[in-house]
Amino acid sequence: MPMNRAHRKICSSEEWARTTKDRILPWALEDVELGADVLEIGPGYGANLRVLVERVDHLTAAEIDADSARMLQSKWGERADVLHADGAELPLPDASFDSVVCFTMLHHVPTADHQDRIFAEAFRVLRPGGTFAGSDSQPSFRFRVLHFRDTMNTLDPVTLPDRLERAGFTDVAVDLEAESRRLRFRARRA
């Protein structure tokens, strides 16, 4: 996993799980209809997964890190389908999900090209009318320190709408939450 030890400790903590449940997901998914079949790309240690599994009928999670995928499978495998897979090369059929989500993980994707391939895959596996939604952090001094010797490739809120539209999405919206330095996005497959 492309995170240093301190970062891994934070992301696997109960405090982070509460933050995602109480602050990040409510804001990121405000007014988003997830539908019955949802794919989460990059669940990491499962802080978001454990909230989503309570909200949707069927959850699939695609995690690139093998150890994390095994941990998620052992912990959540009875309630979610966990795949060891790169979000840019999903072993899933076209048009199979009502929504695709990803939270606080895109900045760990090393290049913009790789991020764009994740966007294209999210579009491919969405059903017509489906929503791609998520959130990520924006740079700050504290964020940069936390990512010392980590992969840190943050999304530019100015260019993100065009990138999502190039992947095929319509009705793209990108918002910033200034206080927390978070970005959220929503996009639809027509």
Side-chain angles (χ1 to χ4, degrees):
M1 184 171 285
M3 295 192 299
N4 64 42
R5 182 177 292 159
H7 199 164
R8 288 192 309 265
K9 184 175 180 178
I10 290 169
C11 290
S12 63
S13 72
E14 283 300 313
E15 182 180 350
W16 179 249
R18 280 191 304 277
T19 298
T20 63
K21 179 183 178 198
D22 297 340
R23 295 180 60 208
I24 295 172
L25 291 185
W27 180 71
L29 295 176
E30 181 180 30
D31 299 324
V32 172
E33 292 292 327
L34 291 174
D37 293 310
V38 176
L39 169 65
E40 181 184 9
I41 297 174
Y45 291 103
N48 305 305
L49 185 151
R50 65 202 247 180
V51 175
L52 293 170
V53 79
E54 299 294 334
R55 292 182 61 177
V56 301
D57 294 341
H58 184 254
L59 180 65
T60 301
E63 173 57 46
I64 194 168
D65 181 70
D67 291 337
S68 296
R70 279 190 294 278
M71 179 274 298
L72 293 170
Q73 176 62 38
S74 69
K75 200 168 188 177
W76 299 100
E78 292 182 16
R79 302 190 60 201
D81 293 329
V82 178
L83 309 172
H84 174 219
D86 183 342
E89 297 177 42
L90 296 167
L92 298 164
D94 294 355
S96 48
F97 295 95
D98 297 316
S99 61
V100 176
V101 295
C102 59
F103 306 101
T104 320
M105 57 71 67
L106 286 165
H107 68 272
H108 287 291
V109 177
T111 66
D113 180 62
H114 198 147
Q115 291 171 340
D116 288 344
R117 291 193 326 258
I118 289 171
F119 301 156
E121 279 292 270
F123 182 84
R124 181 185 68 78
V125 301
L126 270 175
R127 293 181 179 122
T131 300
F132 179 41
S135 64
D136 214 321
S137 301
Q138 290 291 281
S140 68
F141 176 75
R142 183 175 182 265
F143 191 71
R144 291 180 204 285
V145 169
L146 177 63
H147 287 79
F148 179 70
R149 294 192 176 165
D150 268 10
T151 299
M152 188 183 94
N153 181 29
T154 56
L155 299 170
D156 180 344
V158 174
T159 62
L160 182 58
D162 288 339
R163 293 172 66 193
L164 291 169
E165 288 171 0
R166 279 195 307 273
F169 291 104
T170 61
D171 302 323
V172 175
V174 175
D175 301 306
L176 293 172
E177 186 181 58
E179 182 181 317
S180 66
R181 311 244 351 127
R182 280 195 292 263
L183 164 150
R184 73 178 173 190
F185 61 88
R186 292 95 183 282
R188 293 182 43 80
R189 177 175 178 170

